[in-house]
Amino acid sequence: MRRKFQETFKAINVEFTKFFAILFDGGTARLELTNPEDLTQTGIDVIAKPPGKRAAHLAMLSGGERALTATALLFAILKVSPTPFCVLDEVDAMLDEANVGRFRDALKTLTAGTQFIVITHNRTTMESADAVYGITMNEDGVSQAISLRLESTNG
Amino acid sequence: MRRKFQETFKAINVEFTKFFAILFDGGTARLELTNPEDLTQTGIDVIAKPPGKRAAHLAMLSGGERALTATALLFAILKVSPTPFCVLDEVDAMLDEANVGRFRDALKTLTAGTQFIVITHNRTTMESADAVYGITMNEDGVSQAISLRLESTNG
Amino acid sequence: MHLKHLDLHGFKTFANRTNFVFDLGVTAIVGPNGSGKSNIADAVRWVMGEQSYSELRVKKTEDLIFTGSATRPRMGMTEVSMMLENPNPWTEAAADAERTGDTEKTKLDPVTELLRSNPSEVTIGRRAYRDGGNEYFLNGARVRLRDIFELLARWGLARNTYAVVGQGLIDQALSLRPEERRALFEEAA
Amino acid sequence: MHLKHLDLHGFKTFANRTNFVFDLGVTAIVGPNGSGKSNIADAVRWVMGEQSYSELRVKKTEDLIFTGSATRPRMGMTEVSMMLENPNPWTEAAADAERTGDTEKTKLDPVTELLRSNPSEVTIGRRAYRDGGNEYFLNGARVRLRDIFELLARWGLARNTYAVVGQGLIDQALSLRPEERRALFEEAA
Ligand SMILES: Nc1ncnc2c1ncn2[C@@H]1O[C@H](COP(=O)(O)OP(=O)(O)OP(=O)(O)O)[C@@H](O)[C@H]1O
Ligand SMILES: Nc1ncnc2c1ncn2[C@@H]1O[C@H](COP(=O)(O)OP(=O)(O)OP(=O)(O)O)[C@@H](O)[C@H]1O
Ligand SMILES: [Mg+2]
Ligand SMILES: [Mg+2]
């Protein structure tokens, strides 16, 4: 159990560093055990250094940088230990267009192991999906769902 | 002092109901004192009912509905007690395009009393501004600012 | 293994029975503020056995049932069902037999019974009534909550797995104290 | 009364002296993630006397000074100044005289001194050094933090006024316990 945690931690750490560099188009990040001697009590620190910047407290990162760092960690966990399906609810809300594009590309690399349902307001994310459901509210306060098949780009 | 609080509360309540109906294009909302007998100890409840829906706990409102309700409250406070200038940092992030349009129109009604600086990723908000500053990061990790005068729409 | 169908009836804003078909790959869900998108995510959590009211953004079970509007009466119950497809049933069954060992002792356990039949798909269902009662179903048969958890665990969807990730992701991953973050990793291990 | 100029030097990512000119109406600030937009909002809070490290997203004063990068050395100090324009100085002075009554007793108070001269504009400044020291300025003259607060209060910018509103607005307005929300109203009263 402890060894499994140790191995899993190492594997996630490797993937976290990779996904961070992909999502930030550069930069470095890693995870650190606060107490490597005691794996049942240890905490896990996140050290993130966007490209061209110095590593700093996570609180000093911008709103979008925090969202992207959290996404890198989630993707690393999904890479090492895929869940069969994953619903993402507006995790791209704080990202600018360049970062949304990298988010979408990184997401695609995980689709072999995990089926994704992505709730989004972002056009780029929507256009890159394989299928789209549109949800609207009618005047009775009741939700309606309609399958919106996209033409062209996803042929 | 207590009477000033009472009058201010009433005035903000009236404006809150108005701004909510403007931002939601319908619906009703109001503020309620939890303890009207003791104005130094009282809390303030927010009751919000988007159009076509029944009033419910604030937690049940959607992400965008919560942002819009909080905005209605802020605008009500600014209407009653304007601050000379106000910096808004991405308060429109969770809003869909229709709501961003109503947000922008409601904001305009407050500009006589308050100068606004709006940090945004939203194109609609940006295009409706009277002036725009673009911020970028150079490769030294240093911020640069450039004044981007918009042509056309704001002439 | 993937999520094939999701059926909502009377769940929050989904007063009308609404069926979603999901394929492999990426499905986007879009729509205006307050239209019901996050309610779909809540339904997925709920049918998988979520017990936390705050995770579901409600105060009590009743709040999950369509509360009515000016032009539509409230409903008395809600039902959500989710069909999971398992393309490798024989592999699952083999692993299963190996894990439980004795093929006689547990034959009254509905989950083991079900998995031994090598199903290529399973439907999980949950109902709730205004009086607060909850019922759980596997392929239409009434089971206990722990049976739902057991089936999900065997199909790679343990109780706290990252099957539904909200805006809270950022806080969860970054604002947690380092010790709390360890819990996320223990799930993955 | 409005904010006319904002000047940042060595503040967070603004290593180079950067000046912003703001007109009446609405000014938008746009740019990629991490470019420095919220840092500008932090600078406005800070020069107005903000004392809370968490509101400024830092752990200590040093974190407000440009920490350097691979290609640019860190700096030893930061300075932010803000010019406020008051189009109705005579009205302010009249209200001021009325409020303080005795026109002799407070004549050594730099803020009262300043306001009696009916300035149509005032520049507030703040500096911080790596050793953690802070200095405050009014029109270039060194003053105490409380003088800054007093001037701002007289010009309609009291200490907790809604001059800078972040994403925390939603939590503040809606997640606060009802009693905490009262504090927002007391500010407006
Ligand atoms: N039991 C219920 N009966 C009726 N309406 C409900 C019920 N529970 C929640 N709602 C309504 O559902 C709406 C929220 O829906 P949801 O959170 O799914 O929106 P959303 O599409 O995710 O919007 P956003 O884009 O703003 O996040 C609220 O208006 C709320 O009042
Ligand atoms: N003292 C400092 N020296 C150098 N860089 C700093 C300093 N303090 C903060 N930063 C950097 O500033 C960046 C954050 O900037 P800011 O929060 O203004 O971004 P933003 O433009 O608001 O982005 P977003 O759109 O994502 O909200 C972080 O990358 C952080 O590392
Ligand atoms: Mg939502
Ligand atoms: Mg920001």
Side-chain angles (χ1 to χ4, degrees), chain B residues 40-42 44 77 87 89-90 115-116 118 130-131 133 135 140 143, chain D residues 3 13 21 26-30 35 38 69 71 163 165 167 178 181-182:
Chain B
T40 56
Q41 292 297 323
T42 185
I44 297 172
I77 292 171
V87 180
D89 193 350
E90 296 202 34
Q115 170 195 27
F116 287 98
V118 183
D130 303 304
Y133 269 104
I135 313 297
D140 295 335
S143 292
Chain D
L3 164 54
T13 50
V21 176
V26 180
T27 302
I29 296 183
V30 301
S35 56
S38 296
S69 68
T71 49
V165 176
Q167 283 254 294
R181 210 172 284 142
R182 189 187 67 240

PDB file of all heavy atoms in Angstrom, chain B residues 40-42 44 77 87 89-90 115-116 118 130-131 133 135 140 143, chain D residues 3 13 21 26-30 35 38 69 71 163 165 167 178 181-182:
ATOM      1  N   THR B  40     -27.837  46.457  14.905  1.00  0.00           N
ATOM      2  CA  THR B  40     -26.388  46.313  15.065  1.00  0.00           C
ATOM      3  C   THR B  40     -25.988  44.843  14.973  1.00  0.00           C
ATOM      4  O   THR B  40     -24.829  44.519  14.781  1.00  0.00           O
ATOM      5  CB  THR B  40     -25.925  46.863  16.428  1.00  0.00           C
ATOM      6  OG1 THR B  40     -26.663  46.176  17.450  1.00  0.00           O
ATOM      7  CG2 THR B  40     -26.184  48.356  16.510  1.00  0.00           C
ATOM      8  N   GLN B  41     -26.981  43.965  15.155  1.00  0.00           N
ATOM      9  CA  GLN B  41     -26.695  42.531  15.144  1.00  0.00           C
ATOM     10  C   GLN B  41     -27.285  41.814  13.938  1.00  0.00           C
ATOM     11  O   GLN B  41     -26.935  40.676  13.661  1.00  0.00           O
ATOM     12  CB  GLN B  41     -27.283  41.872  16.413  1.00  0.00           C
ATOM     13  CG  GLN B  41     -26.596  42.290  17.694  1.00  0.00           C
ATOM     14  CD  GLN B  41     -25.141  41.862  17.720  1.00  0.00           C
ATOM     15  OE1 GLN B  41     -24.791  40.780  17.222  1.00  0.00           O
ATOM     16  NE2 GLN B  41     -24.282  42.703  18.260  1.00  0.00           N
ATOM     17  N   THR B  42     -28.171  42.501  13.250  1.00  0.00           N
ATOM     18  CA  THR B  42     -28.913  41.828  12.181  1.00  0.00           C
ATOM     19  C   THR B  42     -28.021  41.327  11.060  1.00  0.00           C
ATOM     20  O   THR B  42     -26.963  41.895  10.778  1.00  0.00           O
ATOM     21  CB  THR B  42     -29.972  42.773  11.569  1.00  0.00           C
ATOM     22  OG1 THR B  42     -30.739  42.016  10.617  1.00  0.00           O
ATOM     23  CG2 THR B  42     -29.323  43.952  10.855  1.00  0.00           C
ATOM     24  N   ILE B  44     -28.208  40.066   6.832  1.00  0.00           N
ATOM     25  CA  ILE B  44     -28.974  40.450   5.646  1.00  0.00           C
ATOM     26  C   ILE B  44     -29.091  39.237   4.742  1.00  0.00           C
ATOM     27  O   ILE B  44     -28.082  38.696   4.278  1.00  0.00           O
ATOM     28  CB  ILE B  44     -28.274  41.613   4.898  1.00  0.00           C
ATOM     29  CG1 ILE B  44     -28.232  42.838   5.804  1.00  0.00           C
ATOM     30  CG2 ILE B  44     -29.002  41.929   3.598  1.00  0.00           C
ATOM     31  CD1 ILE B  44     -27.401  43.980   5.278  1.00  0.00           C
ATOM     32  N   ILE B  77     -25.440  48.945  -4.445  1.00  0.00           N
ATOM     33  CA  ILE B  77     -24.644  49.682  -3.472  1.00  0.00           C
ATOM     34  C   ILE B  77     -23.970  50.881  -4.134  1.00  0.00           C
ATOM     35  O   ILE B  77     -23.951  51.989  -3.589  1.00  0.00           O
ATOM     36  CB  ILE B  77     -23.596  48.750  -2.813  1.00  0.00           C
ATOM     37  CG1 ILE B  77     -24.304  47.708  -1.942  1.00  0.00           C
ATOM     38  CG2 ILE B  77     -22.596  49.547  -2.000  1.00  0.00           C
ATOM     39  CD1 ILE B  77     -23.394  46.609  -1.405  1.00  0.00           C
ATOM     40  N   VAL B  87     -12.539  49.385  -9.571  1.00  0.00           N
ATOM     41  CA  VAL B  87     -11.828  48.428 -10.413  1.00  0.00           C
ATOM     42  C   VAL B  87     -12.555  47.088 -10.318  1.00  0.00           C
ATOM     43  O   VAL B  87     -12.708  46.552  -9.223  1.00  0.00           O
ATOM     44  CB  VAL B  87     -10.358  48.248  -9.941  1.00  0.00           C
ATOM     45  CG1 VAL B  87      -9.625  47.252 -10.839  1.00  0.00           C
ATOM     46  CG2 VAL B  87      -9.630  49.583  -9.919  1.00  0.00           C
ATOM     47  N   ASP B  89     -12.457  43.227 -11.370  1.00  0.00           N
ATOM     48  CA  ASP B  89     -11.529  42.230 -11.906  1.00  0.00           C
ATOM     49  C   ASP B  89     -12.249  40.953 -12.314  1.00  0.00           C
ATOM     50  O   ASP B  89     -12.542  40.095 -11.479  1.00  0.00           O
ATOM     51  CB  ASP B  89     -10.435  41.920 -10.864  1.00  0.00           C
ATOM     52  CG  ASP B  89      -9.277  41.148 -11.461  1.00  0.00           C
ATOM     53  OD1 ASP B  89      -9.381  40.679 -12.619  1.00  0.00           O
ATOM     54  OD2 ASP B  89      -8.239  40.999 -10.779  1.00  0.00           O
ATOM     55  N   GLU B  90     -12.524  40.822 -13.618  1.00  0.00           N
ATOM     56  CA  GLU B  90     -13.142  39.633 -14.209  1.00  0.00           C
ATOM     57  C   GLU B  90     -14.446  39.214 -13.534  1.00  0.00           C
ATOM     58  O   GLU B  90     -14.683  38.032 -13.326  1.00  0.00           O
ATOM     59  CB  GLU B  90     -12.146  38.467 -14.228  1.00  0.00           C
ATOM     60  CG  GLU B  90     -10.958  38.774 -15.116  1.00  0.00           C
ATOM     61  CD  GLU B  90     -10.217  37.564 -15.608  1.00  0.00           C
ATOM     62  OE1 GLU B  90     -10.866  36.528 -15.853  1.00  0.00           O
ATOM     63  OE2 GLU B  90      -8.990  37.657 -15.755  1.00  0.00           O
ATOM     64  N   GLN B 115     -16.265  56.112 -11.948  1.00  0.00           N
ATOM     65  CA  GLN B 115     -15.357  55.808 -13.066  1.00  0.00           C
ATOM     66  C   GLN B 115     -14.978  54.335 -12.955  1.00  0.00           C
ATOM     67  O   GLN B 115     -14.585  53.883 -11.878  1.00  0.00           O
ATOM     68  CB  GLN B 115     -14.129  56.701 -12.920  1.00  0.00           C
ATOM     69  CG  GLN B 115     -12.966  56.398 -13.832  1.00  0.00           C
ATOM     70  CD  GLN B 115     -11.688  57.095 -13.336  1.00  0.00           C
ATOM     71  OE1 GLN B 115     -11.554  57.357 -12.160  1.00  0.00           O
ATOM     72  NE2 GLN B 115     -10.781  57.380 -14.227  1.00  0.00           N
ATOM     73  N   PHE B 116     -15.113  53.567 -14.040  1.00  0.00           N
ATOM     74  CA  PHE B 116     -14.852  52.124 -13.972  1.00  0.00           C
ATOM     75  C   PHE B 116     -13.594  51.705 -14.719  1.00  0.00           C
ATOM     76  O   PHE B 116     -13.311  52.187 -15.812  1.00  0.00           O
ATOM     77  CB  PHE B 116     -16.034  51.333 -14.539  1.00  0.00           C
ATOM     78  CG  PHE B 116     -17.231  51.325 -13.638  1.00  0.00           C
ATOM     79  CD1 PHE B 116     -18.283  52.198 -13.852  1.00  0.00           C
ATOM     80  CD2 PHE B 116     -17.292  50.449 -12.557  1.00  0.00           C
ATOM     81  CE1 PHE B 116     -19.388  52.206 -13.011  1.00  0.00           C
ATOM     82  CE2 PHE B 116     -18.385  50.450 -11.709  1.00  0.00           C
ATOM     83  CZ  PHE B 116     -19.438  51.331 -11.932  1.00  0.00           C
ATOM     84  N   VAL B 118     -12.281  48.064 -15.861  1.00  0.00           N
ATOM     85  CA  VAL B 118     -12.807  46.703 -15.940  1.00  0.00           C
ATOM     86  C   VAL B 118     -11.773  45.767 -16.552  1.00  0.00           C
ATOM     87  O   VAL B 118     -11.442  45.875 -17.728  1.00  0.00           O
ATOM     88  CB  VAL B 118     -14.094  46.671 -16.790  1.00  0.00           C
ATOM     89  CG1 VAL B 118     -14.684  45.276 -16.801  1.00  0.00           C
ATOM     90  CG2 VAL B 118     -15.117  47.655 -16.257  1.00  0.00           C
ATOM     91  N   ASP B 130     -14.798  52.732 -23.206  1.00  0.00           N
ATOM     92  CA  ASP B 130     -14.416  53.992 -23.838  1.00  0.00           C
ATOM     93  C   ASP B 130     -12.923  54.012 -24.157  1.00  0.00           C
ATOM     94  O   ASP B 130     -12.473  54.719 -25.057  1.00  0.00           O
ATOM     95  CB  ASP B 130     -14.755  55.165 -22.898  1.00  0.00           C
ATOM     96  CG  ASP B 130     -16.225  55.159 -22.524  1.00  0.00           C
ATOM     97  OD1 ASP B 130     -17.061  55.182 -23.442  1.00  0.00           O
ATOM     98  OD2 ASP B 130     -16.530  55.091 -21.310  1.00  0.00           O
ATOM     99  N   ALA B 131     -12.141  53.254 -23.423  1.00  0.00           N
ATOM    100  CA  ALA B 131     -10.698  53.170 -23.655  1.00  0.00           C
ATOM    101  C   ALA B 131     -10.236  51.774 -23.256  1.00  0.00           C
ATOM    102  O   ALA B 131     -10.889  51.116 -22.448  1.00  0.00           O
ATOM    103  CB  ALA B 131      -9.966  54.223 -22.823  1.00  0.00           C
ATOM    104  N   TYR B 133      -6.649  49.319 -22.322  1.00  0.00           N
ATOM    105  CA  TYR B 133      -5.217  49.067 -22.164  1.00  0.00           C
ATOM    106  C   TYR B 133      -4.973  47.579 -22.397  1.00  0.00           C
ATOM    107  O   TYR B 133      -5.676  46.740 -21.828  1.00  0.00           O
ATOM    108  CB  TYR B 133      -4.739  49.427 -20.746  1.00  0.00           C
ATOM    109  CG  TYR B 133      -4.247  50.850 -20.610  1.00  0.00           C
ATOM    110  CD1 TYR B 133      -5.037  51.817 -19.996  1.00  0.00           C
ATOM    111  CD2 TYR B 133      -2.995  51.218 -21.100  1.00  0.00           C
ATOM    112  CE1 TYR B 133      -4.587  53.128 -19.882  1.00  0.00           C
ATOM    113  CE2 TYR B 133      -2.536  52.531 -20.983  1.00  0.00           C
ATOM    114  CZ  TYR B 133      -3.345  53.475 -20.372  1.00  0.00           C
ATOM    115  OH  TYR B 133      -2.897  54.776 -20.253  1.00  0.00           O
ATOM    116  N   ILE B 135      -2.368  44.498 -21.882  1.00  0.00           N
ATOM    117  CA  ILE B 135      -1.208  44.131 -21.060  1.00  0.00           C
ATOM    118  C   ILE B 135      -0.598  42.855 -21.626  1.00  0.00           C
ATOM    119  O   ILE B 135      -1.330  41.905 -21.946  1.00  0.00           O
ATOM    120  CB  ILE B 135      -1.628  43.874 -19.595  1.00  0.00           C
ATOM    121  CG1 ILE B 135      -2.532  44.991 -19.073  1.00  0.00           C
ATOM    122  CG2 ILE B 135      -0.386  43.721 -18.708  1.00  0.00           C
ATOM    123  CD1 ILE B 135      -1.919  46.352 -19.001  1.00  0.00           C
ATOM    124  N   ASP B 140      11.234  38.654 -20.507  1.00  0.00           N
ATOM    125  CA  ASP B 140      11.960  38.823 -19.240  1.00  0.00           C
ATOM    126  C   ASP B 140      11.029  38.661 -18.045  1.00  0.00           C
ATOM    127  O   ASP B 140      11.413  38.981 -16.918  1.00  0.00           O
ATOM    128  CB  ASP B 140      12.557  40.241 -19.145  1.00  0.00           C
ATOM    129  CG  ASP B 140      13.614  40.476 -20.187  1.00  0.00           C
ATOM    130  OD1 ASP B 140      14.230  39.490 -20.651  1.00  0.00           O
ATOM    131  OD2 ASP B 140      13.815  41.656 -20.540  1.00  0.00           O
ATOM    132  N   SER B 143       5.866  42.919 -17.256  1.00  0.00           N
ATOM    133  CA  SER B 143       4.616  43.365 -17.880  1.00  0.00           C
ATOM    134  C   SER B 143       4.828  44.637 -18.695  1.00  0.00           C
ATOM    135  O   SER B 143       5.559  45.537 -18.286  1.00  0.00           O
ATOM    136  CB  SER B 143       3.565  43.670 -16.809  1.00  0.00           C
ATOM    137  OG  SER B 143       3.151  42.501 -16.154  1.00  0.00           O
TER     138      SER B 143
ATOM    139  N   LEU D   3      -9.888  58.939 -10.703  1.00  0.00           N
ATOM    140  CA  LEU D   3      -8.518  58.460 -10.738  1.00  0.00           C
ATOM    141  C   LEU D   3      -7.927  58.865 -12.085  1.00  0.00           C
ATOM    142  O   LEU D   3      -8.444  58.492 -13.128  1.00  0.00           O
ATOM    143  CB  LEU D   3      -8.548  56.936 -10.573  1.00  0.00           C
ATOM    144  CG  LEU D   3      -7.318  56.097 -10.937  1.00  0.00           C
ATOM    145  CD1 LEU D   3      -6.082  56.590 -10.224  1.00  0.00           C
ATOM    146  CD2 LEU D   3      -7.589  54.640 -10.599  1.00  0.00           C
ATOM    147  N   THR D  13       5.000  42.292 -11.438  1.00  0.00           N
ATOM    148  CA  THR D  13       5.588  42.072 -12.763  1.00  0.00           C
ATOM    149  C   THR D  13       5.931  43.378 -13.487  1.00  0.00           C
ATOM    150  O   THR D  13       6.491  43.351 -14.583  1.00  0.00           O
ATOM    151  CB  THR D  13       4.625  41.279 -13.664  1.00  0.00           C
ATOM    152  OG1 THR D  13       3.343  41.906 -13.613  1.00  0.00           O
ATOM    153  CG2 THR D  13       4.497  39.834 -13.185  1.00  0.00           C
ATOM    154  N   VAL D  21      -3.046  56.221 -17.813  1.00  0.00           N
ATOM    155  CA  VAL D  21      -3.891  57.410 -17.775  1.00  0.00           C
ATOM    156  C   VAL D  21      -5.325  56.929 -17.879  1.00  0.00           C
ATOM    157  O   VAL D  21      -5.681  56.184 -18.795  1.00  0.00           O
ATOM    158  CB  VAL D  21      -3.579  58.340 -18.966  1.00  0.00           C
ATOM    159  CG1 VAL D  21      -4.535  59.534 -18.957  1.00  0.00           C
ATOM    160  CG2 VAL D  21      -2.125  58.796 -18.913  1.00  0.00           C
ATOM    161  N   VAL D  26     -15.638  54.155 -18.861  1.00  0.00           N
ATOM    162  CA  VAL D  26     -15.175  52.778 -18.644  1.00  0.00           C
ATOM    163  C   VAL D  26     -13.878  52.510 -19.396  1.00  0.00           C
ATOM    164  O   VAL D  26     -13.801  52.696 -20.609  1.00  0.00           O
ATOM    165  CB  VAL D  26     -16.242  51.757 -19.116  1.00  0.00           C
ATOM    166  CG1 VAL D  26     -15.748  50.332 -18.879  1.00  0.00           C
ATOM    167  CG2 VAL D  26     -17.575  51.991 -18.419  1.00  0.00           C
ATOM    168  N   THR D  27     -12.850  52.107 -18.655  1.00  0.00           N
ATOM    169  CA  THR D  27     -11.587  51.679 -19.270  1.00  0.00           C
ATOM    170  C   THR D  27     -11.465  50.170 -19.103  1.00  0.00           C
ATOM    171  O   THR D  27     -11.584  49.668 -17.987  1.00  0.00           O
ATOM    172  CB  THR D  27     -10.375  52.348 -18.589  1.00  0.00           C
ATOM    173  OG1 THR D  27     -10.508  53.761 -18.671  1.00  0.00           O
ATOM    174  CG2 THR D  27      -9.077  51.910 -19.267  1.00  0.00           C
ATOM    175  N   ALA D  28     -11.244  49.455 -20.191  1.00  0.00           N
ATOM    176  CA  ALA D  28     -11.055  48.008 -20.109  1.00  0.00           C
ATOM    177  C   ALA D  28      -9.569  47.707 -20.065  1.00  0.00           C
ATOM    178  O   ALA D  28      -8.757  48.400 -20.674  1.00  0.00           O
ATOM    179  CB  ALA D  28     -11.701  47.316 -21.300  1.00  0.00           C
ATOM    180  N   ILE D  29      -9.216  46.651 -19.301  1.00  0.00           N
ATOM    181  CA  ILE D  29      -7.831  46.176 -19.276  1.00  0.00           C
ATOM    182  C   ILE D  29      -7.863  44.719 -19.720  1.00  0.00           C
ATOM    183  O   ILE D  29      -8.554  43.899 -19.111  1.00  0.00           O
ATOM    184  CB  ILE D  29      -7.209  46.309 -17.877  1.00  0.00           C
ATOM    185  CG1 ILE D  29      -7.122  47.782 -17.496  1.00  0.00           C
ATOM    186  CG2 ILE D  29      -5.814  45.674 -17.848  1.00  0.00           C
ATOM    187  CD1 ILE D  29      -6.453  48.062 -16.163  1.00  0.00           C
ATOM    188  N   VAL D  30      -7.160  44.425 -20.807  1.00  0.00           N
ATOM    189  CA  VAL D  30      -7.199  43.084 -21.385  1.00  0.00           C
ATOM    190  C   VAL D  30      -5.793  42.526 -21.568  1.00  0.00           C
ATOM    191  O   VAL D  30      -4.815  43.285 -21.535  1.00  0.00           O
ATOM    192  CB  VAL D  30      -7.931  43.108 -22.753  1.00  0.00           C
ATOM    193  CG1 VAL D  30      -9.345  43.628 -22.595  1.00  0.00           C
ATOM    194  CG2 VAL D  30      -7.149  43.927 -23.769  1.00  0.00           C
ATOM    195  N   SER D  35      -0.404  37.994 -17.527  1.00  0.00           N
ATOM    196  CA  SER D  35       0.304  39.151 -18.101  1.00  0.00           C
ATOM    197  C   SER D  35       0.471  40.291 -17.097  1.00  0.00           C
ATOM    198  O   SER D  35       1.347  41.136 -17.273  1.00  0.00           O
ATOM    199  CB  SER D  35      -0.426  39.667 -19.344  1.00  0.00           C
ATOM    200  OG  SER D  35      -1.765  39.989 -19.034  1.00  0.00           O
ATOM    201  N   SER D  38      -4.355  41.647 -12.987  1.00  0.00           N
ATOM    202  CA  SER D  38      -4.765  41.684 -11.568  1.00  0.00           C
ATOM    203  C   SER D  38      -3.688  42.354 -10.718  1.00  0.00           C
ATOM    204  O   SER D  38      -3.997  42.908  -9.663  1.00  0.00           O
ATOM    205  CB  SER D  38      -5.051  40.274 -11.052  1.00  0.00           C
ATOM    206  OG  SER D  38      -6.137  39.712 -11.742  1.00  0.00           O
ATOM    207  N   SER D  69      13.802  37.440 -12.893  1.00  0.00           N
ATOM    208  CA  SER D  69      13.517  36.280 -13.738  1.00  0.00           C
ATOM    209  C   SER D  69      14.847  35.748 -14.240  1.00  0.00           C
ATOM    210  O   SER D  69      15.904  36.217 -13.816  1.00  0.00           O
ATOM    211  CB  SER D  69      12.636  36.706 -14.911  1.00  0.00           C
ATOM    212  OG  SER D  69      13.377  37.554 -15.767  1.00  0.00           O
ATOM    213  N   THR D  71      16.260  36.296 -16.877  1.00  0.00           N
ATOM    214  CA  THR D  71      17.009  37.270 -17.674  1.00  0.00           C
ATOM    215  C   THR D  71      16.960  38.691 -17.122  1.00  0.00           C
ATOM    216  O   THR D  71      17.352  39.639 -17.783  1.00  0.00           O
ATOM    217  CB  THR D  71      16.425  37.316 -19.106  1.00  0.00           C
ATOM    218  OG1 THR D  71      14.990  37.456 -18.985  1.00  0.00           O
ATOM    219  CG2 THR D  71      16.723  36.014 -19.850  1.00  0.00           C
ATOM    220  N   ALA D 163     -13.678  49.980  -3.852  1.00  0.00           N
ATOM    221  CA  ALA D 163     -12.903  50.572  -4.949  1.00  0.00           C
ATOM    222  C   ALA D 163     -12.278  49.493  -5.828  1.00  0.00           C
ATOM    223  O   ALA D 163     -12.037  49.717  -7.006  1.00  0.00           O
ATOM    224  CB  ALA D 163     -11.827  51.491  -4.395  1.00  0.00           C
ATOM    225  N   VAL D 165     -12.833  45.427  -6.773  1.00  0.00           N
ATOM    226  CA  VAL D 165     -13.715  44.268  -6.610  1.00  0.00           C
ATOM    227  C   VAL D 165     -13.195  43.118  -7.456  1.00  0.00           C
ATOM    228  O   VAL D 165     -13.057  43.244  -8.665  1.00  0.00           O
ATOM    229  CB  VAL D 165     -15.149  44.629  -7.065  1.00  0.00           C
ATOM    230  CG1 VAL D 165     -16.043  43.407  -7.004  1.00  0.00           C
ATOM    231  CG2 VAL D 165     -15.724  45.740  -6.198  1.00  0.00           C
ATOM    232  N   GLN D 167     -12.814  38.581  -8.129  1.00  0.00           N
ATOM    233  CA  GLN D 167     -13.689  37.433  -8.323  1.00  0.00           C
ATOM    234  C   GLN D 167     -14.300  37.019  -6.987  1.00  0.00           C
ATOM    235  O   GLN D 167     -15.315  36.363  -6.934  1.00  0.00           O
ATOM    236  CB  GLN D 167     -12.872  36.270  -8.904  1.00  0.00           C
ATOM    237  CG  GLN D 167     -12.607  36.463 -10.366  1.00  0.00           C
ATOM    238  CD  GLN D 167     -13.466  35.535 -11.211  1.00  0.00           C
ATOM    239  OE1 GLN D 167     -13.303  34.333 -11.170  1.00  0.00           O
ATOM    240  NE2 GLN D 167     -14.397  36.073 -11.965  1.00  0.00           N
ATOM    241  N   PRO D 178     -25.263  35.916   6.712  1.00  0.00           N
ATOM    242  CA  PRO D 178     -26.036  37.176   6.696  1.00  0.00           C
ATOM    243  C   PRO D 178     -25.448  38.277   7.592  1.00  0.00           C
ATOM    244  O   PRO D 178     -25.509  39.446   7.245  1.00  0.00           O
ATOM    245  CB  PRO D 178     -27.415  36.726   7.199  1.00  0.00           C
ATOM    246  CG  PRO D 178     -27.511  35.304   6.751  1.00  0.00           C
ATOM    247  CD  PRO D 178     -26.118  34.749   6.847  1.00  0.00           C
ATOM    248  N   ARG D 181     -22.571  39.967   5.854  1.00  0.00           N
ATOM    249  CA  ARG D 181     -23.010  40.811   4.749  1.00  0.00           C
ATOM    250  C   ARG D 181     -23.368  42.208   5.274  1.00  0.00           C
ATOM    251  O   ARG D 181     -23.256  43.199   4.562  1.00  0.00           O
ATOM    252  CB  ARG D 181     -24.219  40.157   4.078  1.00  0.00           C
ATOM    253  CG  ARG D 181     -24.360  40.449   2.614  1.00  0.00           C
ATOM    254  CD  ARG D 181     -25.466  39.600   2.017  1.00  0.00           C
ATOM    255  NE  ARG D 181     -25.077  38.223   1.806  1.00  0.00           N
ATOM    256  CZ  ARG D 181     -25.863  37.166   2.004  1.00  0.00           C
ATOM    257  NH1 ARG D 181     -27.087  37.333   2.450  1.00  0.00           N
ATOM    258  NH2 ARG D 181     -25.423  35.956   1.755  1.00  0.00           N
ATOM    259  N   ARG D 182     -23.780  42.294   6.533  1.00  0.00           N
ATOM    260  CA  ARG D 182     -24.170  43.593   7.085  1.00  0.00           C
ATOM    261  C   ARG D 182     -22.992  44.567   7.008  1.00  0.00           C
ATOM    262  O   ARG D 182     -23.173  45.768   6.796  1.00  0.00           O
ATOM    263  CB  ARG D 182     -24.642  43.469   8.531  1.00  0.00           C
ATOM    264  CG  ARG D 182     -25.253  44.770   9.072  1.00  0.00           C
ATOM    265  CD  ARG D 182     -25.565  44.696  10.548  1.00  0.00           C
ATOM    266  NE  ARG D 182     -24.340  44.590  11.335  1.00  0.00           N
ATOM    267  CZ  ARG D 182     -24.047  43.583  12.136  1.00  0.00           C
ATOM    268  NH1 ARG D 182     -24.908  42.567  12.277  1.00  0.00           N
ATOM    269  NH2 ARG D 182     -22.914  43.568  12.799  1.00  0.00           N
TER     270      ARG D 182
END
